[in-house]
mmCIF file of all heavy atoms in Angstrom:
data_model
loop_
_atom_site.group_PDB
_atom_site.id
_atom_site.type_symbol
_atom_site.label_atom_id
_atom_site.label_comp_id
_atom_site.label_asym_id
_atom_site.label_seq_id
_atom_site.Cartn_x
_atom_site.Cartn_y
_atom_site.Cartn_z
ATOM 1 N N ARG A 205 -12.397 21.104 24.599
ATOM 2 C CA ARG A 205 -12.242 22.007 23.440
ATOM 3 C C ARG A 205 -13.372 21.742 22.404
ATOM 4 O O ARG A 205 -13.905 22.668 21.810
ATOM 5 C CB ARG A 205 -10.877 21.781 22.776
ATOM 6 C CG ARG A 205 -9.801 22.489 23.523
ATOM 7 C CD ARG A 205 -8.789 23.122 22.581
ATOM 8 N NE ARG A 205 -9.391 23.936 21.551
ATOM 9 C CZ ARG A 205 -8.819 24.254 20.402
ATOM 10 N NH1 ARG A 205 -7.616 23.738 20.084
ATOM 11 N NH2 ARG A 205 -9.435 25.049 19.503
ATOM 12 N N LEU A 206 -13.648 20.448 22.197
ATOM 13 C CA LEU A 206 -14.706 20.108 21.143
ATOM 14 C C LEU A 206 -16.055 20.549 21.656
ATOM 15 O O LEU A 206 -16.875 21.004 20.837
ATOM 16 C CB LEU A 206 -14.672 18.612 20.864
ATOM 17 C CG LEU A 206 -13.436 18.151 20.090
ATOM 18 C CD1 LEU A 206 -13.395 16.627 19.951
ATOM 19 C CD2 LEU A 206 -13.344 18.766 18.686
ATOM 20 N N GLN A 207 -16.235 20.462 23.004
ATOM 21 C CA GLN A 207 -17.565 20.986 23.478
ATOM 22 C C GLN A 207 -17.708 22.451 23.272
ATOM 23 O O GLN A 207 -18.782 22.963 22.926
ATOM 24 C CB GLN A 207 -17.721 20.586 24.958
ATOM 25 C CG GLN A 207 -18.371 19.207 25.155
ATOM 26 C CD GLN A 207 -18.150 18.665 26.528
ATOM 27 O OE1 GLN A 207 -17.188 19.018 27.218
ATOM 28 N NE2 GLN A 207 -19.020 17.688 26.896
ATOM 29 N N SER A 208 -16.606 23.174 23.489
ATOM 30 C CA SER A 208 -16.725 24.639 23.308
ATOM 31 C C SER A 208 -16.902 24.990 21.829
ATOM 32 O O SER A 208 -17.614 25.941 21.513
ATOM 33 C CB SER A 208 -15.575 25.432 23.996
ATOM 34 O OG SER A 208 -14.420 25.268 23.266
ATOM 35 N N LEU A 209 -16.297 24.220 20.907
ATOM 36 C CA LEU A 209 -16.489 24.470 19.504
ATOM 37 C C LEU A 209 -17.950 24.099 19.102
ATOM 38 O O LEU A 209 -18.543 24.722 18.271
ATOM 39 C CB LEU A 209 -15.505 23.658 18.617
ATOM 40 C CG LEU A 209 -14.044 24.041 18.691
ATOM 41 C CD1 LEU A 209 -13.249 23.256 17.674
ATOM 42 C CD2 LEU A 209 -13.867 25.519 18.429
ATOM 43 N N HIS A 210 -18.460 23.049 19.771
ATOM 44 C CA HIS A 210 -19.827 22.659 19.567
ATOM 45 C C HIS A 210 -20.761 23.782 20.019
ATOM 46 O O HIS A 210 -21.677 24.199 19.268
ATOM 47 C CB HIS A 210 -20.135 21.402 20.363
ATOM 48 C CG HIS A 210 -21.558 20.899 20.269
ATOM 49 N ND1 HIS A 210 -21.915 19.897 19.397
ATOM 50 C CD2 HIS A 210 -22.676 21.313 20.897
ATOM 51 C CE1 HIS A 210 -23.201 19.679 19.526
ATOM 52 N NE2 HIS A 210 -23.698 20.554 20.399
ATOM 53 N N ASP A 211 -20.518 24.350 21.212
ATOM 54 C CA ASP A 211 -21.354 25.402 21.710
ATOM 55 C C ASP A 211 -21.276 26.609 20.852
ATOM 56 O O ASP A 211 -22.252 27.389 20.739
ATOM 57 C CB ASP A 211 -20.977 25.777 23.153
ATOM 58 C CG ASP A 211 -21.213 24.594 24.124
ATOM 59 O OD1 ASP A 211 -22.053 23.686 23.687
ATOM 60 O OD2 ASP A 211 -20.654 24.507 25.206
ATOM 61 N N ALA A 212 -20.131 26.850 20.202
ATOM 62 C CA ALA A 212 -19.934 28.014 19.320
ATOM 63 C C ALA A 212 -20.529 27.761 17.965
ATOM 64 O O ALA A 212 -20.416 28.608 17.052
ATOM 65 C CB ALA A 212 -18.450 28.353 19.243
ATOM 66 N N GLY A 213 -21.041 26.592 17.709
ATOM 67 C CA GLY A 213 -21.660 26.292 16.393
ATOM 68 C C GLY A 213 -20.644 25.929 15.320
ATOM 69 O O GLY A 213 -20.969 25.975 14.112
ATOM 70 N N ILE A 214 -19.401 25.644 15.709
ATOM 71 C CA ILE A 214 -18.369 25.393 14.672
ATOM 72 C C ILE A 214 -18.311 23.937 14.321
ATOM 73 O O ILE A 214 -18.134 23.603 13.142
ATOM 74 C CB ILE A 214 -16.989 25.913 15.244
ATOM 75 C CG1 ILE A 214 -17.035 27.389 15.392
ATOM 76 C CG2 ILE A 214 -15.853 25.441 14.356
ATOM 77 C CD1 ILE A 214 -15.897 28.045 16.077
ATOM 78 N N VAL A 215 -18.446 23.036 15.273
ATOM 79 C CA VAL A 215 -18.572 21.608 14.994
ATOM 80 C C VAL A 215 -19.841 21.037 15.729
ATOM 81 O O VAL A 215 -20.373 21.711 16.609
ATOM 82 C CB VAL A 215 -17.311 20.789 15.450
ATOM 83 C CG1 VAL A 215 -16.061 21.294 14.833
ATOM 84 C CG2 VAL A 215 -17.210 20.733 16.965
ATOM 85 N N GLU A 216 -20.164 19.856 15.297
ATOM 86 C CA GLU A 216 -21.195 19.115 16.037
ATOM 87 C C GLU A 216 -20.503 17.954 16.668
ATOM 88 O O GLU A 216 -20.022 17.061 15.889
ATOM 89 C CB GLU A 216 -22.336 18.654 15.083
ATOM 90 C CG GLU A 216 -23.568 18.231 15.749
ATOM 91 C CD GLU A 216 -24.605 17.760 14.723
ATOM 92 O OE1 GLU A 216 -24.581 18.230 13.626
ATOM 93 O OE2 GLU A 216 -25.380 16.897 15.068
ATOM 94 N N PHE A 217 -20.280 18.011 17.976
ATOM 95 C CA PHE A 217 -19.513 16.986 18.639
ATOM 96 C C PHE A 217 -20.442 15.815 18.978
ATOM 97 O O PHE A 217 -21.297 15.925 19.852
ATOM 98 C CB PHE A 217 -18.917 17.597 19.948
ATOM 99 C CG PHE A 217 -18.067 16.648 20.746
ATOM 100 C CD1 PHE A 217 -17.365 15.580 20.183
ATOM 101 C CD2 PHE A 217 -17.903 16.867 22.144
ATOM 102 C CE1 PHE A 217 -16.556 14.770 20.918
ATOM 103 C CE2 PHE A 217 -17.084 16.063 22.882
ATOM 104 C CZ PHE A 217 -16.458 14.954 22.307
ATOM 105 N N VAL A 218 -20.263 14.712 18.230
ATOM 106 C CA VAL A 218 -21.291 13.659 18.322
ATOM 107 C C VAL A 218 -20.821 12.368 19.027
ATOM 108 O O VAL A 218 -21.644 11.535 19.479
ATOM 109 C CB VAL A 218 -21.794 13.167 16.925
ATOM 110 C CG1 VAL A 218 -22.550 14.303 16.254
ATOM 111 C CG2 VAL A 218 -20.713 12.671 16.065
ATOM 112 N N GLY A 219 -19.479 12.215 19.209
ATOM 113 C CA GLY A 219 -19.130 10.913 19.843
ATOM 114 C C GLY A 219 -17.711 10.709 20.162
ATOM 115 O O GLY A 219 -16.845 11.535 19.911
ATOM 116 N N ILE A 220 -17.505 9.516 20.659
ATOM 117 C CA ILE A 220 -16.150 9.065 21.074
ATOM 118 C C ILE A 220 -15.800 7.815 20.252
ATOM 119 O O ILE A 220 -16.641 6.979 20.004
ATOM 120 C CB ILE A 220 -16.181 8.708 22.599
ATOM 121 C CG1 ILE A 220 -16.385 9.943 23.424
ATOM 122 C CG2 ILE A 220 -14.932 7.968 23.046
ATOM 123 C CD1 ILE A 220 -15.269 11.004 23.337
ATOM 124 N N HIS A 221 -14.521 7.709 19.929
ATOM 125 C CA HIS A 221 -14.021 6.640 19.128
ATOM 126 C C HIS A 221 -12.801 6.044 19.809
ATOM 127 O O HIS A 221 -11.976 6.783 20.337
ATOM 128 C CB HIS A 221 -13.620 7.200 17.734
ATOM 129 C CG HIS A 221 -13.021 6.149 16.849
ATOM 130 N ND1 HIS A 221 -11.739 5.688 17.027
ATOM 131 C CD2 HIS A 221 -13.549 5.552 15.773
ATOM 132 C CE1 HIS A 221 -11.524 4.782 16.080
ATOM 133 N NE2 HIS A 221 -12.601 4.644 15.304
ATOM 134 N N ALA A 222 -12.702 4.714 19.818
ATOM 135 C CA ALA A 222 -11.499 4.058 20.358
ATOM 136 C C ALA A 222 -11.215 2.796 19.479
ATOM 137 O O ALA A 222 -12.102 2.009 19.332
ATOM 138 C CB ALA A 222 -11.709 3.682 21.811
ATOM 139 N N HIS A 223 -10.028 2.760 18.964
ATOM 140 C CA HIS A 223 -9.611 1.605 18.152
ATOM 141 C C HIS A 223 -8.433 0.946 18.872
ATOM 142 O O HIS A 223 -7.456 1.655 19.189
ATOM 143 C CB HIS A 223 -9.241 2.018 16.754
ATOM 144 C CG HIS A 223 -8.599 0.968 15.932
ATOM 145 N ND1 HIS A 223 -9.335 -0.056 15.369
ATOM 146 C CD2 HIS A 223 -7.283 0.776 15.572
ATOM 147 C CE1 HIS A 223 -8.471 -0.881 14.668
ATOM 148 N NE2 HIS A 223 -7.256 -0.363 14.790
ATOM 149 N N LEU A 224 -8.534 -0.317 19.175
ATOM 150 C CA LEU A 224 -7.511 -0.966 19.975
ATOM 151 C C LEU A 224 -6.345 -1.560 19.201
ATOM 152 O O LEU A 224 -5.225 -1.634 19.730
ATOM 153 C CB LEU A 224 -8.187 -2.073 20.795
ATOM 154 C CG LEU A 224 -9.345 -1.702 21.715
ATOM 155 C CD1 LEU A 224 -9.892 -2.913 22.405
ATOM 156 C CD2 LEU A 224 -8.952 -0.607 22.682
ATOM 157 N N GLY A 225 -6.668 -2.006 18.020
ATOM 158 C CA GLY A 225 -5.596 -2.679 17.258
ATOM 159 C C GLY A 225 -6.241 -3.593 16.245
ATOM 160 O O GLY A 225 -7.441 -3.609 16.102
ATOM 161 N N SER A 226 -5.401 -4.361 15.548
ATOM 162 C CA SER A 226 -5.918 -5.177 14.425
ATOM 163 C C SER A 226 -5.549 -6.603 14.609
ATOM 164 O O SER A 226 -4.551 -6.925 15.281
ATOM 165 C CB SER A 226 -5.302 -4.588 13.144
ATOM 166 O OG SER A 226 -6.030 -4.991 12.038
ATOM 167 N N GLN A 227 -6.324 -7.518 13.968
ATOM 168 C CA GLN A 227 -6.084 -8.944 14.061
ATOM 169 C C GLN A 227 -6.188 -9.378 15.518
ATOM 170 O O GLN A 227 -5.361 -10.072 16.090
ATOM 171 C CB GLN A 227 -4.767 -9.321 13.414
ATOM 172 C CG GLN A 227 -4.443 -10.834 13.350
ATOM 173 C CD GLN A 227 -5.526 -11.677 12.580
ATOM 174 O OE1 GLN A 227 -6.527 -11.185 12.168
ATOM 175 N NE2 GLN A 227 -5.285 -12.967 12.512
ATOM 176 N N VAL A 228 -7.286 -8.913 16.154
ATOM 177 C CA VAL A 228 -7.581 -9.232 17.563
ATOM 178 C C VAL A 228 -8.519 -10.406 17.637
ATOM 179 O O VAL A 228 -9.582 -10.384 17.080
ATOM 180 C CB VAL A 228 -8.180 -7.995 18.310
ATOM 181 C CG1 VAL A 228 -8.430 -8.310 19.730
ATOM 182 C CG2 VAL A 228 -7.263 -6.771 18.127
ATOM 183 N N PHE A 229 -8.107 -11.464 18.290
ATOM 184 C CA PHE A 229 -8.896 -12.708 18.389
ATOM 185 C C PHE A 229 -9.823 -12.719 19.594
ATOM 186 O O PHE A 229 -10.929 -13.276 19.516
ATOM 187 C CB PHE A 229 -8.040 -13.943 18.372
ATOM 188 C CG PHE A 229 -7.587 -14.420 17.074
ATOM 189 C CD1 PHE A 229 -6.271 -14.352 16.657
ATOM 190 C CD2 PHE A 229 -8.497 -14.908 16.166
ATOM 191 C CE1 PHE A 229 -5.870 -14.773 15.407
ATOM 192 C CE2 PHE A 229 -8.178 -15.360 14.898
ATOM 193 C CZ PHE A 229 -6.812 -15.287 14.497
ATOM 194 N N ALA A 230 -9.342 -12.141 20.678
ATOM 195 C CA ALA A 230 -10.111 -12.214 21.947
ATOM 196 C C ALA A 230 -11.071 -11.035 22.012
ATOM 197 O O ALA A 230 -10.656 -9.921 21.685
ATOM 198 C CB ALA A 230 -9.172 -12.218 23.109
ATOM 199 N N LEU A 231 -12.268 -11.280 22.449
ATOM 200 C CA LEU A 231 -13.244 -10.174 22.524
ATOM 201 C C LEU A 231 -13.100 -9.443 23.859
ATOM 202 O O LEU A 231 -13.565 -8.296 24.005
ATOM 203 C CB LEU A 231 -14.674 -10.704 22.349
ATOM 204 C CG LEU A 231 -14.935 -11.273 20.987
ATOM 205 C CD1 LEU A 231 -16.370 -11.866 20.884
ATOM 206 C CD2 LEU A 231 -14.780 -10.208 19.896
ATOM 207 N N ALA A 232 -12.412 -10.043 24.810
ATOM 208 C CA ALA A 232 -12.281 -9.399 26.150
ATOM 209 C C ALA A 232 -11.696 -7.986 26.091
ATOM 210 O O ALA A 232 -12.224 -7.129 26.817
ATOM 211 C CB ALA A 232 -11.418 -10.280 27.067
ATOM 212 N N PRO A 233 -10.711 -7.662 25.324
ATOM 213 C CA PRO A 233 -10.209 -6.291 25.284
ATOM 214 C C PRO A 233 -11.225 -5.301 24.869
ATOM 215 O O PRO A 233 -11.178 -4.144 25.300
ATOM 216 C CB PRO A 233 -9.047 -6.370 24.243
ATOM 217 C CG PRO A 233 -8.617 -7.749 24.211
ATOM 218 C CD PRO A 233 -9.873 -8.575 24.450
ATOM 219 N N PHE A 234 -12.163 -5.664 23.969
ATOM 220 C CA PHE A 234 -13.204 -4.723 23.556
ATOM 221 C C PHE A 234 -14.089 -4.439 24.767
ATOM 222 O O PHE A 234 -14.540 -3.315 24.972
ATOM 223 C CB PHE A 234 -14.007 -5.330 22.395
ATOM 224 C CG PHE A 234 -13.255 -5.456 21.124
ATOM 225 C CD1 PHE A 234 -12.714 -6.659 20.682
ATOM 226 C CD2 PHE A 234 -13.008 -4.325 20.325
ATOM 227 C CE1 PHE A 234 -12.027 -6.756 19.548
ATOM 228 C CE2 PHE A 234 -12.269 -4.418 19.143
ATOM 229 C CZ PHE A 234 -11.770 -5.682 18.752
ATOM 230 N N VAL A 235 -14.415 -5.466 25.536
ATOM 231 C CA VAL A 235 -15.226 -5.267 26.726
ATOM 232 C C VAL A 235 -14.505 -4.417 27.723
ATOM 233 O O VAL A 235 -15.092 -3.448 28.314
ATOM 234 C CB VAL A 235 -15.575 -6.672 27.334
ATOM 235 C CG1 VAL A 235 -16.257 -6.530 28.707
ATOM 236 C CG2 VAL A 235 -16.400 -7.479 26.346
ATOM 237 N N GLN A 236 -13.233 -4.689 27.866
ATOM 238 C CA GLN A 236 -12.429 -3.902 28.801
ATOM 239 C C GLN A 236 -12.394 -2.430 28.387
ATOM 240 O O GLN A 236 -12.443 -1.539 29.243
ATOM 241 C CB GLN A 236 -10.982 -4.499 28.768
ATOM 242 C CG GLN A 236 -10.174 -4.190 29.991
ATOM 243 C CD GLN A 236 -8.709 -4.634 29.751
ATOM 244 O OE1 GLN A 236 -8.443 -5.537 28.945
ATOM 245 N NE2 GLN A 236 -7.788 -3.927 30.392
ATOM 246 N N ALA A 237 -12.255 -2.192 27.099
ATOM 247 C CA ALA A 237 -12.204 -0.832 26.650
ATOM 248 C C ALA A 237 -13.515 -0.058 26.957
ATOM 249 O O ALA A 237 -13.532 1.131 27.385
ATOM 250 C CB ALA A 237 -11.979 -0.773 25.077
ATOM 251 N N ILE A 238 -14.639 -0.772 26.821
ATOM 252 C CA ILE A 238 -15.938 -0.167 27.151
ATOM 253 C C ILE A 238 -15.993 0.161 28.655
ATOM 254 O O ILE A 238 -16.412 1.263 29.063
ATOM 255 C CB ILE A 238 -17.143 -1.126 26.798
ATOM 256 C CG1 ILE A 238 -17.124 -1.475 25.320
ATOM 257 C CG2 ILE A 238 -18.432 -0.563 27.284
ATOM 258 C CD1 ILE A 238 -17.459 -0.317 24.412
ATOM 259 N N GLU A 239 -15.505 -0.811 29.455
ATOM 260 C CA GLU A 239 -15.509 -0.563 30.921
ATOM 261 C C GLU A 239 -14.621 0.640 31.274
ATOM 262 O O GLU A 239 -15.020 1.465 32.093
ATOM 263 C CB GLU A 239 -14.953 -1.789 31.641
ATOM 264 C CG GLU A 239 -15.964 -2.973 31.659
ATOM 265 C CD GLU A 239 -15.323 -4.301 31.974
ATOM 266 O OE1 GLU A 239 -14.082 -4.360 32.200
ATOM 267 O OE2 GLU A 239 -16.107 -5.295 32.057
ATOM 268 N N VAL A 240 -13.457 0.773 30.611
ATOM 269 C CA VAL A 240 -12.556 1.827 30.902
ATOM 270 C C VAL A 240 -13.154 3.163 30.458
ATOM 271 O O VAL A 240 -12.971 4.146 31.117
ATOM 272 C CB VAL A 240 -11.156 1.563 30.175
ATOM 273 C CG1 VAL A 240 -10.296 2.824 30.217
ATOM 274 C CG2 VAL A 240 -10.510 0.404 30.776
ATOM 275 N N LEU A 241 -13.871 3.135 29.334
ATOM 276 C CA LEU A 241 -14.429 4.407 28.787
ATOM 277 C C LEU A 241 -15.720 4.832 29.372
ATOM 278 O O LEU A 241 -16.123 6.011 29.189
ATOM 279 C CB LEU A 241 -14.580 4.230 27.232
ATOM 280 C CG LEU A 241 -13.370 4.283 26.345
ATOM 281 C CD1 LEU A 241 -13.691 3.887 24.915
ATOM 282 C CD2 LEU A 241 -12.745 5.698 26.341
ATOM 283 N N ALA A 242 -16.420 3.890 30.044
ATOM 284 C CA ALA A 242 -17.822 4.154 30.325
ATOM 285 C C ALA A 242 -18.090 5.425 31.140
ATOM 286 O O ALA A 242 -18.908 6.237 30.778
ATOM 287 C CB ALA A 242 -18.425 2.946 31.063
ATOM 288 N N ASP A 243 -17.323 5.603 32.225
ATOM 289 C CA ASP A 243 -17.549 6.811 33.063
ATOM 290 C C ASP A 243 -17.269 8.112 32.332
ATOM 291 O O ASP A 243 -18.025 9.055 32.355
ATOM 292 C CB ASP A 243 -16.620 6.739 34.291
ATOM 293 C CG ASP A 243 -17.082 5.674 35.283
ATOM 294 O OD1 ASP A 243 -18.243 5.174 35.131
ATOM 295 O OD2 ASP A 243 -16.326 5.335 36.184
ATOM 296 N N PHE A 244 -16.159 8.066 31.600
ATOM 297 C CA PHE A 244 -15.765 9.255 30.811
ATOM 298 C C PHE A 244 -16.855 9.549 29.764
ATOM 299 O O PHE A 244 -17.288 10.685 29.664
ATOM 300 C CB PHE A 244 -14.472 8.862 30.100
ATOM 301 C CG PHE A 244 -13.986 9.820 29.042
ATOM 302 C CD1 PHE A 244 -13.355 11.014 29.417
ATOM 303 C CD2 PHE A 244 -14.148 9.529 27.688
ATOM 304 C CE1 PHE A 244 -12.917 11.912 28.418
ATOM 305 C CE2 PHE A 244 -13.682 10.433 26.706
ATOM 306 C CZ PHE A 244 -13.091 11.589 27.064
ATOM 307 N N PHE A 245 -17.352 8.483 29.124
ATOM 308 C CA PHE A 245 -18.384 8.674 28.081
ATOM 309 C C PHE A 245 -19.689 9.177 28.655
ATOM 310 O O PHE A 245 -20.346 10.065 28.140
ATOM 311 C CB PHE A 245 -18.572 7.320 27.352
ATOM 312 C CG PHE A 245 -19.510 7.415 26.204
ATOM 313 C CD1 PHE A 245 -19.095 8.010 25.032
ATOM 314 C CD2 PHE A 245 -20.760 6.874 26.253
ATOM 315 C CE1 PHE A 245 -19.937 8.147 23.913
ATOM 316 C CE2 PHE A 245 -21.689 7.021 25.193
ATOM 317 C CZ PHE A 245 -21.269 7.641 24.000
ATOM 318 N N ALA A 246 -20.050 8.665 29.887
ATOM 319 C CA ALA A 246 -21.361 8.971 30.452
ATOM 320 C C ALA A 246 -21.471 10.486 30.695
ATOM 321 O O ALA A 246 -22.530 11.012 30.478
ATOM 322 C CB ALA A 246 -21.544 8.166 31.753
ATOM 323 N N THR A 247 -20.382 11.018 31.197
ATOM 324 C CA THR A 247 -20.491 12.480 31.607
ATOM 325 C C THR A 247 -20.677 13.383 30.355
ATOM 326 O O THR A 247 -21.199 14.490 30.465
ATOM 327 C CB THR A 247 -19.207 12.949 32.284
ATOM 328 O OG1 THR A 247 -18.109 12.744 31.376
ATOM 329 C CG2 THR A 247 -18.968 12.188 33.551
ATOM 330 N N LEU A 248 -20.335 12.869 29.188
ATOM 331 C CA LEU A 248 -20.391 13.706 27.976
ATOM 332 C C LEU A 248 -21.745 13.743 27.280
ATOM 333 O O LEU A 248 -22.110 14.660 26.617
ATOM 334 C CB LEU A 248 -19.374 13.196 26.927
ATOM 335 C CG LEU A 248 -17.915 13.163 27.412
ATOM 336 C CD1 LEU A 248 -17.021 12.417 26.382
ATOM 337 C CD2 LEU A 248 -17.387 14.560 27.695
#
Side-chain angles (χ1 to χ4, degrees):
R205 282 219 52 203
L206 291 172
Q207 271 163 337
S208 74
L209 292 186
H210 178 99
D211 294 342
I214 294 169
V215 302
E216 196 180 331
F217 182 27
V218 294
I220 293 297
H221 177 287
H223 171 75
L224 303 180
S226 199
Q227 184 58 358
V228 180
F229 276 113
L231 295 177
F234 292 102
V235 172
Q236 202 189 332
I238 300 294
E239 286 163 0
V240 169
L241 284 171
D243 288 347
F244 170 78
F245 185 73
T247 58
L248 302 172

